Amino acid sequence: MNSSDTPSAPSFNQHTTTCPLDCPGACALLVRVEEGRLLEVKGNPDHPFTQGAICGKVTRFREIQEGPRIATPLIRTGAKGSGQFRQAGWEEALDLVVKRLRVIIDQHGSEAIFPYHYGGTMGLVQGRAMERLTHAACFSRMNRNICYAIGWAGWRRGVGLAVGPAPQEMAESDLIILWGINATATHITLMHWVKKARKRGAKLVVVDPYRNRTAHLADLHIAPKPGSDGALAAAMMNVLLAEGLADLDYLQRKTDFNEELKAHLATRTPEWAAPLTGLSEKSIRAFAKLYGQARAPFIRLGLGMSRQKNGAVNTHAVSCLPAITGAWQRKGGGALFATGDAFSIKSEAVNQQSLMEKPTRVLDMSRLGQYLTDPTTAIKSLLVFNANPAGSCPDLTRVHKGLLREDLFTVVHELVMSDTARLADVVLPATSFLEHADLYKSYGQYTLQYAEPVLPPFEQARCNHDVVNALAKGLGLSERSPSFSLTDEETVGQVLADSQLPPADNWHGLSWLDCAPSWEERHFLNGFPQPDRRFHFFPGWPDQSMPPMPDHWPVNRRDLPEAKRYPLDFMTPPALDVLNTTFTSAPEATRRRGPPTLWIHPEDAASRGIGEGDPVAVFNDLARLSLTAHVTTDVSPGLCLAETNFKAEEFPEGISLNALSHSDPVAPDTGPAFHDNRVEVIKIEKAGES
């Protein structure tokens, strides 16, 4: 065999990039590409947090990258919701969008246009690009409250900022508590550090109303009733004080603890909490002692507990536990809610807030259904980027009704044909995270990451940044700021320069910068980020109806007089295989997830004549949906749930699970209580009955 007969080595390149999805990890990735195609996605073993671990969803991203992507601009030809579109070029599509927006502005004013965008990508440049156009054009602005706002309101009232111990410090803990976070499904890289701690002898406790995949891995699963976390935390504090497990010196030096709070907590006994939480007095007391006797307990708070009408109160109460024991001051101890305030990023180059000539109205993204069906709100156009409100909003029936309005002009920029895209007038093809540049911070770890494009855009796809700039040009706004003429790579460079950070090519050959606060800062050794430098047991809520101290706040639907009409609590936690609605277009992900399934306890099933696999109807005043019953003790009596996400077309009713979720705003800062629902369940006796 001569040299010409020798097989050549595979011609592929390996690149670093970052997962853009709405998960705390912002995982560092290595991707292999060959001749413009994606070969493999895996975790970057060199990253200080990811260390090579990523979720199965992203390892299978090729299903999305080369799957049923939107390839060209589409213009609706049939009735709204029919899914009938014709292909168009970018020039025609943008010309149509600009002409329609100009007419709306002339007839109804610029605030009749509502840009709706969220976490389809968490990149700073692509994810927030629409804000630049919003400010320049004086469109209606959006309150970004659909996910984070409730929990953040509770955390900051006690701690002050979204910082805390680095998640890697879990490896030094002897007791890890995952409270309201199903990390196996939503934050798998965190479990890498949990595993390290357990190898050293640490115990894992999961606090969650149902026995999810993470709870199955735990040494102890605590399953309080949904929305009773504040009662559990207050009772734990009662035990810690009564049993001499509180650090009284720390309380005096670092917190606003006083005799009034001590007297209040003396009344919050395990006996008081037991009927509220559904837990036994014995189990509450044992859990409190386990926490109080640990050398360095680490609590990782998730957003799950905050998705209740009393969610902010719950989050604040749980954040009080490490202050009672002084766990903050020990290596491997403390609590973490989020890390976002560690990144001092100046994003004016992206959002151009200075271009806003006058304050415009701010609309609550979680109440979109109400706005679209209320003529007085007068929304005439919806510009949807990085979001799928027809699947992810609460009160979906009203959202769909509004999106079907013939006088509503809806433009959707998307990767795949989402539920919202099917209801649009114009659909524009979007790039994937592998096809554009961006800068990523994280809300679950402390590295700032830069990602270059590693693949060419799919067919005619364009990135958010470029589409926003094109719309600005069409509307005659591009001359107002040089930001409308920069590329996405140039915008990344401007953000870094404005933030007084080195250019990405000066990051010592890495794709990330470590932005972690010092050990002293993230453990609050020199005081908490509050005006008085103390942790606040007294949250000082602006809403005077909220409890003045850590407590249970009985305002959930279970507590209302009409609760008896619908006897079961109903939650919609995330499924393992479908992190967001983009993955509902991936065949393998949807196969692994399965059809819409209702988890129901054997007692509740038996009283309704329901068996495993039976078709059931789940309903309340908002909607009625058909699912398949899964009878299991992984939920407690009185609780049922369905893990998400699903497309509307997977239900006979043509609408997805959030049709059963309410959009009532939650105190003190609004946001939807996705898990605070009451329903009834009945068996469907005949196929097709609804």
Side-chain angles (χ1 to χ4, degrees):
M1 178 182 290
N2 59 39
S3 59
S4 63
D5 297 322
T6 304
S8 60
S11 58
F12 61 79
N13 294 305
Q14 183 166 268
H15 305 269
T16 59
T17 188
T18 306
C19 178
L21 299 175
D22 190 359
C23 147
C27 295
L29 307 177
L30 293 177
V31 298
R32 291 197 305 155
V33 300
E34 177 182 5
E35 298 178 352
R37 293 192 64 195
L38 176 65
L39 294 182
E40 180 185 35
V41 182
K42 61 183 181 179
N44 190 337
D46 296 327
H47 187 268
F49 176 71
T50 302
Q51 292 196 346
I54 62 168
C55 68
K57 296 177 281 290
V58 175
T59 61
R60 297 188 296 273
F61 191 80
R62 185 173 175 177
E63 281 194 76
I64 301 295
Q65 181 66 28
E66 299 185 353
R69 297 272 299 273
I70 298 170
T72 67
L74 303 172
I75 295 174
R76 178 171 66 90
T77 57
K80 280 207 172 184
S82 66
Q84 296 176 342
F85 297 90
R86 66 173 176 85
Q87 294 185 353
W90 272 99
E91 183 177 355
E92 180 188 5
L94 289 174
D95 185 59
L96 172 62
V97 172
V98 168
K99 286 180 177 178
R100 291 292 299 272
L101 295 183
R102 285 186 178 278
V103 169
I104 290 169
I105 292 170
D106 290 343
Q107 293 182 354
H108 305 282
S110 59
E111 287 182 302
I113 299 168
F114 183 25
Y116 193 100
H117 50 100
Y118 199 63
T121 174
M122 298 297 285
L124 293 171
V125 171
Q126 307 293 348
R128 307 301 284 265
M130 181 49 74
E131 294 178 11
R132 180 165 67 253
L133 182 61
T134 299
H135 293 142
C138 293
F139 295 154
S140 287
R141 290 172 290 161
M142 188 184 74
N143 182 357
R144 295 170 58 89
N145 65 6
I146 203 165
C147 179
Y148 187 72
I150 302 171
W152 167 228
W155 176 265
R156 79 169 185 269
R157 292 287 166 175
V159 173
L161 289 177
V163 292
Q168 297 95 310
E169 295 179 49
M170 279 187 172
E172 306 293 329
S173 176
D174 60 335
L175 178 67
I176 296 171
I177 301 174
L178 302 182
W179 200 315
I181 178 171
N182 181 9
T184 301
T186 63
H187 195 8
I188 191 63
T189 39
L190 188 75
M191 295 302 293
H192 171 72
W193 297 97
V194 173
K195 184 177 180 180
K196 286 192 173 189
R198 297 183 83 184
K199 283 184 176 179
R200 300 181 57 188
K203 299 294 184 184
L204 172 64
V205 179
V206 170
V207 183
D208 201 289
Y210 81 113
R211 190 180 295 110
N212 52 42
R213 288 177 179 266
T214 310
H216 273 286
L217 299 174
D219 298 290
L220 176 64
H221 174 216
I222 303 291
K225 292 180 181 180
S228 66
D229 307 84
L232 175 57
M236 290 176 68
M237 286 184 266
N238 170 281
V239 174
L240 294 169
L241 288 164
E243 299 284 343
L245 297 172
D247 187 333
L248 300 180
D249 176 66
Y250 186 86
L251 288 170
Q252 182 181 15
R253 290 186 296 109
K254 299 292 186 181
T255 80
D256 62 358
F257 187 90
N258 61 17
E259 289 299 316
E260 181 185 6
L261 176 60
K262 183 178 179 180
H264 163 71
L265 291 175
T267 67
R268 292 331 192 220
T269 63
E271 291 79 8
W272 162 83
L276 296 172
T277 61
L279 304 171
S280 70
E281 170 272 328
K282 182 179 179 181
S283 65
I284 296 172
R285 195 175 301 278
F287 181 32
K289 288 183 178 181
L290 178 67
Y291 179 76
Q293 292 168 356
R295 172 188 54 81
F298 191 114
I299 302 176
R300 180 59 167 95
L301 292 82
L303 293 168
M305 78 174 80
S306 72
R307 304 201 193 286
Q308 303 283 340
K309 195 72 179 288
N310 59 4
V313 170
N314 296 336
T315 302
H316 172 258
V318 175
S319 77
C320 293
L321 289 167
I324 286 281
T325 63
W328 291 112
Q329 59 196 333
R330 295 189 285 277
K331 190 175 183 180
L336 180 65
F337 172 71
T339 59
D341 283 333
F343 302 90
S344 299
I345 302 297
K346 308 297 183 185
S347 57
E348 177 66 14
V350 176
N351 60 38
Q352 291 292 293
Q353 189 168 355
S354 60
L355 295 179
M356 190 167 57
E357 295 178 339
K358 60 180 181 180
T360 57
R361 65 180 179 177
V362 179
L363 299 177
D364 183 339
M365 69 181 302
S366 303
R367 305 179 75 186
L368 180 63
Q370 174 183 327
Y371 296 143
L372 292 181
T373 55
D374 181 357
T376 63
T377 308
I379 295 176
K380 298 298 181 180
S381 178
L382 198 67
L383 306 180
V384 181
F385 282 52
N386 315 319
N388 181 19
S392 60
C393 271
D395 195 6
L396 270 188
T397 299
R398 280 207 285 185
V399 173
H400 281 226
K401 180 180 178 181
L403 287 170
L404 286 169
R405 280 171 38 204
E406 283 296 334
D407 68 327
L408 178 73
F409 180 62
T410 302
V411 180
V412 174
H413 188 219
E414 250 296 3
L415 196 68
V416 297
M417 187 56 70
S418 66
D419 288 347
T420 310
R422 289 185 181 278
L423 296 167
D425 296 283
V426 177
V427 180
L428 304 174
T431 49
S432 78
F433 76 101
L434 299 171
E435 300 163 0
H436 56 237
D438 217 331
L439 194 64
Y440 299 91
K441 62 179 187 177
S442 168
Y443 61 95
Q445 48 104 349
Y446 285 116
T447 61
L448 178 69
Q449 299 179 74
Y450 173 58
E452 297 177 307
V454 300
L455 288 171
F458 174 78
E459 299 287 345
Q460 296 186 42
R462 295 186 185 181
C463 68
N464 297 345
H465 176 87
D466 289 348
V467 174
V468 163
N469 287 356
L471 290 173
K473 182 178 180 180
L475 291 169
L477 300 169
S478 57
E479 298 301 319
R480 294 194 57 200
S481 170
S483 65
F484 288 115
S485 61
L486 297 179
T487 66
D488 48 4
E489 291 96 336
E490 290 169 337
T491 304
V492 167
Q494 189 64 57
V495 169
L496 292 172
D498 292 346
S499 305
Q500 299 185 328
L501 293 170
D505 56 7
N506 288 352
W507 288 5
H508 307 291
L510 300 174
S511 60
W512 62 82
L513 282 178
D514 187 353
C515 297
S518 68
W519 196 89
E520 291 79 9
E521 289 176 297
R522 62 183 186 259
H523 285 264
F524 314 116
L525 298 188
N526 299 318
F528 287 81
Q530 298 280 18
D532 60 1
R533 307 299 294 169
R534 293 176 177 269
F535 178 87
H536 287 182
F537 285 98
F538 293 83
W541 305 113
D543 186 330
Q544 296 301 307
S545 68
M546 300 176 74
M549 292 172 277
D551 208 346
H552 175 67
W553 191 27
V555 293
N556 287 13
R557 296 203 170 268
R558 187 190 312 116
D559 304 307
L560 301 178
E562 57 266 31
K564 292 182 179 179
R565 290 181 57 205
Y566 299 109
L568 299 174
D569 290 320
F570 177 70
M571 303 195 315
T572 55
L576 175 68
D577 295 294
V578 186
L579 178 66
N580 62 16
T581 57
T582 297
F583 282 94
T584 62
S585 296
E588 177 61 17
T590 55
R591 183 193 68 79
R592 293 164 64 98
R593 179 213 57 198
T597 302
L598 182 79
W599 299 29
I600 187 169
H601 190 272
E603 293 179 11
D604 296 321
S607 66
R608 292 164 173 79
I610 295 170
E612 178 70 20
D614 282 344
V616 295
V618 186
F619 59 94
N620 57 20
D621 286 339
L622 297 177
R624 177 185 174 115
L625 296 179
S626 302
L627 296 90
T628 300
H630 173 45
V631 181
T632 174
T633 56
D634 285 343
V635 293
S636 301
L639 170 65
C640 62
L641 62 87
E643 292 185 331
T644 57
N645 284 293
F646 296 94
K647 283 187 174 182
E649 65 190 33
E650 297 182 74
F651 293 85
E653 295 80 7
I655 198 165
S656 193
L657 285 169
N658 282 331
L660 295 165
S661 296
H662 298 265
S663 63
D664 300 344
V666 173
D669 297 336
T670 73
F674 277 113
H675 293 338
D676 182 17
N677 307 295
R678 300 285 285 185
V679 299
E680 179 57 286
V681 178
I682 59 172
K683 181 178 178 179
I684 299 176
E685 297 295 343
K686 298 178 181 178
E689 180 180 334
S690 60

